Amino acid sequence: MPNRIQIEELNKILTQRREDILTSINSTRNNIDDLKSQEINDELDYAELASDSFTEGMIANHQIAELNQIDESLKKIKDGSYGICDMCGVTIPLGRLKAKPFAKFCTECRTAFEKEEAKKSK
Ligand SMILES: [Zn+2]
């Protein structure tokens, strides 16, 4: 288990990252609103608008997924189960948590999990 100071540090990183994502999602929303309020003159503009919104939608979805992971980690910090692999229960190495503070699997389980996901998506 990471010690209290280490958890405090990771908590700060997670909270900061959470704020960054929220800010970024809000500005993306504002951009989309701006685009929508602009008058569309010809088909080319419309195609451009459609692809922009699509890209921004994808970015937002990705950010929301990360936000959920961050929230989950923050909850775990509170209840004391942070830094423990969800799958096998081993302590996740601190180096891994520092690289990815919202990691919920140890390296081995992450690899196994990704293989399973890849199978599902085929
Ligand atoms: Zn594991």
Side-chain angles (χ1 to χ4, degrees):
M1 276 284 272
N3 68 36
R4 204 182 294 174
I5 295 161
Q6 287 160 339
I7 285 185
E8 190 65 32
E9 200 184 312
L10 291 161
N11 194 357
K12 240 184 256 170
I13 295 169
L14 283 164
T15 310
Q16 183 58 49
R17 181 81 189 125
R18 192 172 180 276
E19 273 170 33
D20 287 351
I21 294 172
L22 286 175
T23 309
S24 152
I25 288 175
N26 277 331
S27 72
T28 304
R29 277 200 190 131
N30 290 339
N31 282 340
I32 291 172
D33 286 347
D34 283 352
L35 283 172
K36 278 184 186 157
S37 64
Q38 274 168 21
E39 214 177 312
I40 298 156
N41 293 319
D42 53 42
E43 271 175 44
L44 187 77
D45 278 357
Y46 185 72
E48 234 167 69
L49 173 64
S51 70
D52 275 0
S53 301
F54 178 74
T55 313
E56 286 181 357
M58 295 284 286
I59 293 168
N61 281 342
H62 174 78
Q63 286 172 323
I64 286 164
E66 192 177 335
L67 210 54
N68 284 333
Q69 287 180 297
I70 291 173
D71 278 349
E72 223 176 283
S73 300
L74 288 171
K75 218 191 289 168
K76 283 184 180 174
I77 288 177
K78 276 197 192 118
D79 70 22
S81 65
Y82 180 72
I84 296 165
C85 175
D86 260 11
M87 229 185 281
C88 69
V90 306
T91 303
I92 301 171
L94 187 67
R96 174 157 165 73
L97 288 173
K98 275 192 173 159
K100 208 179 170 195
F102 49 81
K104 57 179 176 176
F105 300 131
C106 68
T107 317
E108 284 100 89
C109 289
R110 177 78 222 172
T111 311
F113 179 77
E114 272 167 6
K115 270 187 195 154
E116 280 303 306
E117 288 295 294
K119 259 191 235 164
K120 269 188 223 161
S121 65
K122 265 175 199 162

mmCIF file of all heavy atoms in Angstrom, residues 5-29:
data_model
loop_
_atom_site.group_PDB
_atom_site.id
_atom_site.type_symbol
_atom_site.label_atom_id
_atom_site.label_comp_id
_atom_site.label_asym_id
_atom_site.label_seq_id
_atom_site.Cartn_x
_atom_site.Cartn_y
_atom_site.Cartn_z
ATOM 1 N N ILE A 5 1.485 9.934 2.793
ATOM 2 C CA ILE A 5 2.031 11.064 2.018
ATOM 3 C C ILE A 5 1.911 10.787 0.520
ATOM 4 O O ILE A 5 1.540 11.666 -0.262
ATOM 5 C CB ILE A 5 3.508 11.340 2.415
ATOM 6 C CG1 ILE A 5 3.557 11.796 3.879
ATOM 7 C CG2 ILE A 5 4.144 12.385 1.505
ATOM 8 C CD1 ILE A 5 4.915 11.660 4.528
ATOM 9 N N GLN A 6 2.206 9.533 0.145
ATOM 10 C CA GLN A 6 2.111 9.167 -1.265
ATOM 11 C C GLN A 6 0.662 9.258 -1.750
ATOM 12 O O GLN A 6 0.383 9.730 -2.859
ATOM 13 C CB GLN A 6 2.669 7.756 -1.476
ATOM 14 C CG GLN A 6 4.188 7.724 -1.377
ATOM 15 C CD GLN A 6 4.722 6.332 -1.088
ATOM 16 O OE1 GLN A 6 4.013 5.467 -0.582
ATOM 17 N NE2 GLN A 6 5.983 6.118 -1.405
ATOM 18 N N ILE A 7 -0.259 8.782 -0.924
ATOM 19 C CA ILE A 7 -1.678 8.853 -1.276
ATOM 20 C C ILE A 7 -2.132 10.302 -1.412
ATOM 21 O O ILE A 7 -2.836 10.664 -2.352
ATOM 22 C CB ILE A 7 -2.544 8.071 -0.253
ATOM 23 C CG1 ILE A 7 -2.376 6.571 -0.508
ATOM 24 C CG2 ILE A 7 -4.019 8.464 -0.354
ATOM 25 C CD1 ILE A 7 -3.251 5.674 0.319
ATOM 26 N N GLU A 8 -1.665 11.121 -0.487
ATOM 27 C CA GLU A 8 -1.979 12.553 -0.517
ATOM 28 C C GLU A 8 -1.541 13.162 -1.849
ATOM 29 O O GLU A 8 -2.277 13.912 -2.492
ATOM 30 C CB GLU A 8 -1.248 13.237 0.649
ATOM 31 C CG GLU A 8 -1.659 14.679 0.909
ATOM 32 C CD GLU A 8 -3.098 14.811 1.368
ATOM 33 O OE1 GLU A 8 -3.617 13.895 2.047
ATOM 34 O OE2 GLU A 8 -3.701 15.831 1.027
ATOM 35 N N GLU A 9 -0.341 12.786 -2.281
ATOM 36 C CA GLU A 9 0.232 13.289 -3.521
ATOM 37 C C GLU A 9 -0.604 12.832 -4.723
ATOM 38 O O GLU A 9 -0.924 13.623 -5.616
ATOM 39 C CB GLU A 9 1.662 12.749 -3.640
ATOM 40 C CG GLU A 9 2.553 13.523 -4.592
ATOM 41 C CD GLU A 9 3.918 12.848 -4.720
ATOM 42 O OE1 GLU A 9 4.500 12.510 -3.658
ATOM 43 O OE2 GLU A 9 4.359 12.622 -5.847
ATOM 44 N N LEU A 10 -0.964 11.548 -4.728
ATOM 45 C CA LEU A 10 -1.760 10.995 -5.823
ATOM 46 C C LEU A 10 -3.164 11.603 -5.819
ATOM 47 O O LEU A 10 -3.739 11.864 -6.880
ATOM 48 C CB LEU A 10 -1.825 9.472 -5.712
ATOM 49 C CG LEU A 10 -0.484 8.763 -5.975
ATOM 50 C CD1 LEU A 10 -0.490 7.352 -5.422
ATOM 51 C CD2 LEU A 10 -0.179 8.725 -7.470
ATOM 52 N N ASN A 11 -3.696 11.824 -4.624
ATOM 53 C CA ASN A 11 -4.998 12.470 -4.478
ATOM 54 C C ASN A 11 -4.974 13.848 -5.150
ATOM 55 O O ASN A 11 -5.905 14.212 -5.877
ATOM 56 C CB ASN A 11 -5.308 12.607 -2.982
ATOM 57 C CG ASN A 11 -6.766 12.947 -2.725
ATOM 58 O OD1 ASN A 11 -7.548 13.137 -3.652
ATOM 59 N ND2 ASN A 11 -7.146 13.021 -1.476
ATOM 60 N N LYS A 12 -3.885 14.573 -4.947
ATOM 61 C CA LYS A 12 -3.731 15.902 -5.542
ATOM 62 C C LYS A 12 -3.697 15.805 -7.067
ATOM 63 O O LYS A 12 -4.351 16.577 -7.767
ATOM 64 C CB LYS A 12 -2.427 16.543 -5.022
ATOM 65 C CG LYS A 12 -2.671 17.849 -4.274
ATOM 66 C CD LYS A 12 -1.336 18.472 -3.881
ATOM 67 C CE LYS A 12 -1.067 18.263 -2.395
ATOM 68 N NZ LYS A 12 0.310 18.644 -2.015
ATOM 69 N N ILE A 13 -2.919 14.840 -7.574
ATOM 70 C CA ILE A 13 -2.811 14.653 -9.029
ATOM 71 C C ILE A 13 -4.190 14.333 -9.621
ATOM 72 O O ILE A 13 -4.596 14.910 -10.624
ATOM 73 C CB ILE A 13 -1.796 13.521 -9.367
ATOM 74 C CG1 ILE A 13 -0.388 13.920 -8.925
ATOM 75 C CG2 ILE A 13 -1.819 13.188 -10.857
ATOM 76 C CD1 ILE A 13 0.630 12.784 -8.976
ATOM 77 N N LEU A 14 -4.913 13.436 -8.953
ATOM 78 C CA LEU A 14 -6.242 13.026 -9.439
ATOM 79 C C LEU A 14 -7.216 14.207 -9.429
ATOM 80 O O LEU A 14 -7.948 14.424 -10.396
ATOM 81 C CB LEU A 14 -6.793 11.884 -8.579
ATOM 82 C CG LEU A 14 -6.196 10.501 -8.838
ATOM 83 C CD1 LEU A 14 -6.518 9.564 -7.689
ATOM 84 C CD2 LEU A 14 -6.719 9.921 -10.140
ATOM 85 N N THR A 15 -7.213 14.971 -8.337
ATOM 86 C CA THR A 15 -8.124 16.111 -8.224
ATOM 87 C C THR A 15 -7.816 17.148 -9.299
ATOM 88 O O THR A 15 -8.723 17.688 -9.940
ATOM 89 C CB THR A 15 -8.018 16.736 -6.815
ATOM 90 O OG1 THR A 15 -8.142 15.685 -5.861
ATOM 91 C CG2 THR A 15 -9.124 17.740 -6.569
ATOM 92 N N GLN A 16 -6.511 17.398 -9.511
ATOM 93 C CA GLN A 16 -6.092 18.365 -10.524
ATOM 94 C C GLN A 16 -6.516 17.905 -11.919
ATOM 95 O O GLN A 16 -7.083 18.664 -12.707
ATOM 96 C CB GLN A 16 -4.561 18.537 -10.449
ATOM 97 C CG GLN A 16 -3.990 19.572 -11.414
ATOM 98 C CD GLN A 16 -4.603 20.958 -11.202
ATOM 99 O OE1 GLN A 16 -4.668 21.449 -10.096
ATOM 100 N NE2 GLN A 16 -5.078 21.573 -12.279
ATOM 101 N N ARG A 17 -6.278 16.626 -12.206
ATOM 102 C CA ARG A 17 -6.627 16.047 -13.504
ATOM 103 C C ARG A 17 -8.148 16.150 -13.734
ATOM 104 O O ARG A 17 -8.607 16.461 -14.823
ATOM 105 C CB ARG A 17 -6.173 14.576 -13.515
ATOM 106 C CG ARG A 17 -6.446 13.846 -14.793
ATOM 107 C CD ARG A 17 -5.400 14.120 -15.860
ATOM 108 N NE ARG A 17 -5.827 13.562 -17.136
ATOM 109 C CZ ARG A 17 -5.932 14.258 -18.263
ATOM 110 N NH1 ARG A 17 -5.617 15.518 -18.301
ATOM 111 N NH2 ARG A 17 -6.353 13.687 -19.367
ATOM 112 N N ARG A 18 -8.905 15.912 -12.659
ATOM 113 C CA ARG A 18 -10.359 15.964 -12.713
ATOM 114 C C ARG A 18 -10.822 17.376 -13.105
ATOM 115 O O ARG A 18 -11.691 17.551 -13.966
ATOM 116 C CB ARG A 18 -10.907 15.593 -11.334
ATOM 117 C CG ARG A 18 -12.377 15.330 -11.301
ATOM 118 C CD ARG A 18 -12.776 14.780 -9.938
ATOM 119 N NE ARG A 18 -14.201 14.535 -9.942
ATOM 120 C CZ ARG A 18 -15.103 15.468 -9.694
ATOM 121 N NH1 ARG A 18 -14.714 16.691 -9.402
ATOM 122 N NH2 ARG A 18 -16.393 15.185 -9.752
ATOM 123 N N GLU A 19 -10.195 18.378 -12.483
ATOM 124 C CA GLU A 19 -10.533 19.767 -12.797
ATOM 125 C C GLU A 19 -10.194 20.110 -14.239
ATOM 126 O O GLU A 19 -10.970 20.758 -14.929
ATOM 127 C CB GLU A 19 -9.796 20.721 -11.844
ATOM 128 C CG GLU A 19 -10.569 20.969 -10.565
ATOM 129 C CD GLU A 19 -9.734 21.715 -9.527
ATOM 130 O OE1 GLU A 19 -8.902 22.535 -9.921
ATOM 131 O OE2 GLU A 19 -9.935 21.431 -8.342
ATOM 132 N N ASP A 20 -9.014 19.654 -14.683
ATOM 133 C CA ASP A 20 -8.577 19.909 -16.061
ATOM 134 C C ASP A 20 -9.582 19.341 -17.056
ATOM 135 O O ASP A 20 -9.931 19.995 -18.042
ATOM 136 C CB ASP A 20 -7.208 19.267 -16.326
ATOM 137 C CG ASP A 20 -6.079 20.025 -15.642
ATOM 138 O OD1 ASP A 20 -6.340 21.125 -15.117
ATOM 139 O OD2 ASP A 20 -4.953 19.509 -15.639
ATOM 140 N N ILE A 21 -10.014 18.111 -16.800
ATOM 141 C CA ILE A 21 -10.959 17.468 -17.721
ATOM 142 C C ILE A 21 -12.280 18.228 -17.730
ATOM 143 O O ILE A 21 -12.839 18.504 -18.793
ATOM 144 C CB ILE A 21 -11.172 15.981 -17.360
ATOM 145 C CG1 ILE A 21 -9.874 15.194 -17.585
ATOM 146 C CG2 ILE A 21 -12.291 15.375 -18.195
ATOM 147 C CD1 ILE A 21 -9.918 13.766 -17.091
ATOM 148 N N LEU A 22 -12.774 18.594 -16.541
ATOM 149 C CA LEU A 22 -14.041 19.332 -16.462
ATOM 150 C C LEU A 22 -13.951 20.643 -17.231
ATOM 151 O O LEU A 22 -14.864 20.999 -17.974
ATOM 152 C CB LEU A 22 -14.422 19.581 -14.995
ATOM 153 C CG LEU A 22 -14.939 18.360 -14.236
ATOM 154 C CD1 LEU A 22 -15.154 18.703 -12.773
ATOM 155 C CD2 LEU A 22 -16.235 17.835 -14.853
ATOM 156 N N THR A 23 -12.830 21.358 -17.073
ATOM 157 C CA THR A 23 -12.634 22.614 -17.795
ATOM 158 C C THR A 23 -12.643 22.368 -19.298
ATOM 159 O O THR A 23 -13.301 23.078 -20.059
ATOM 160 C CB THR A 23 -11.280 23.256 -17.397
ATOM 161 O OG1 THR A 23 -11.205 23.314 -15.979
ATOM 162 C CG2 THR A 23 -11.139 24.644 -17.972
ATOM 163 N N SER A 24 -11.930 21.336 -19.697
ATOM 164 C CA SER A 24 -11.822 21.023 -21.114
ATOM 165 C C SER A 24 -13.173 20.600 -21.707
ATOM 166 O O SER A 24 -13.525 20.995 -22.815
ATOM 167 C CB SER A 24 -10.754 19.948 -21.291
ATOM 168 O OG SER A 24 -10.996 19.176 -22.414
ATOM 169 N N ILE A 25 -13.951 19.810 -20.949
ATOM 170 C CA ILE A 25 -15.279 19.402 -21.425
ATOM 171 C C ILE A 25 -16.174 20.633 -21.579
ATOM 172 O O ILE A 25 -16.877 20.787 -22.575
ATOM 173 C CB ILE A 25 -15.927 18.359 -20.476
ATOM 174 C CG1 ILE A 25 -15.205 17.013 -20.620
ATOM 175 C CG2 ILE A 25 -17.422 18.177 -20.787
ATOM 176 C CD1 ILE A 25 -15.682 15.953 -19.643
ATOM 177 N N ASN A 26 -16.108 21.521 -20.602
ATOM 178 C CA ASN A 26 -16.925 22.734 -20.673
ATOM 179 C C ASN A 26 -16.566 23.594 -21.872
ATOM 180 O O ASN A 26 -17.456 24.107 -22.548
ATOM 181 C CB ASN A 26 -16.773 23.553 -19.390
ATOM 182 C CG ASN A 26 -17.682 23.028 -18.300
ATOM 183 O OD1 ASN A 26 -18.745 22.475 -18.595
ATOM 184 N ND2 ASN A 26 -17.278 23.183 -17.061
ATOM 185 N N SER A 27 -15.259 23.732 -22.165
ATOM 186 C CA SER A 27 -14.881 24.565 -23.294
ATOM 187 C C SER A 27 -15.256 23.877 -24.606
ATOM 188 O O SER A 27 -15.617 24.539 -25.570
ATOM 189 C CB SER A 27 -13.405 24.940 -23.243
ATOM 190 O OG SER A 27 -12.615 23.829 -23.550
ATOM 191 N N THR A 28 -15.204 22.550 -24.646
ATOM 192 C CA THR A 28 -15.647 21.819 -25.836
ATOM 193 C C THR A 28 -17.132 22.076 -26.068
ATOM 194 O O THR A 28 -17.563 22.340 -27.190
ATOM 195 C CB THR A 28 -15.404 20.302 -25.678
ATOM 196 O OG1 THR A 28 -14.031 20.091 -25.402
ATOM 197 C CG2 THR A 28 -15.778 19.546 -26.948
ATOM 198 N N ARG A 29 -17.899 22.025 -24.984
ATOM 199 C CA ARG A 29 -19.342 22.295 -25.094
ATOM 200 C C ARG A 29 -19.600 23.688 -25.634
ATOM 201 O O ARG A 29 -20.454 23.883 -26.492
ATOM 202 C CB ARG A 29 -20.001 22.154 -23.721
ATOM 203 C CG ARG A 29 -20.316 20.720 -23.440
ATOM 204 C CD ARG A 29 -21.370 20.596 -22.359
ATOM 205 N NE ARG A 29 -21.458 19.198 -21.968
ATOM 206 C CZ ARG A 29 -21.437 18.777 -20.720
ATOM 207 N NH1 ARG A 29 -21.377 19.634 -19.737
ATOM 208 N NH2 ARG A 29 -21.516 17.501 -20.447
#
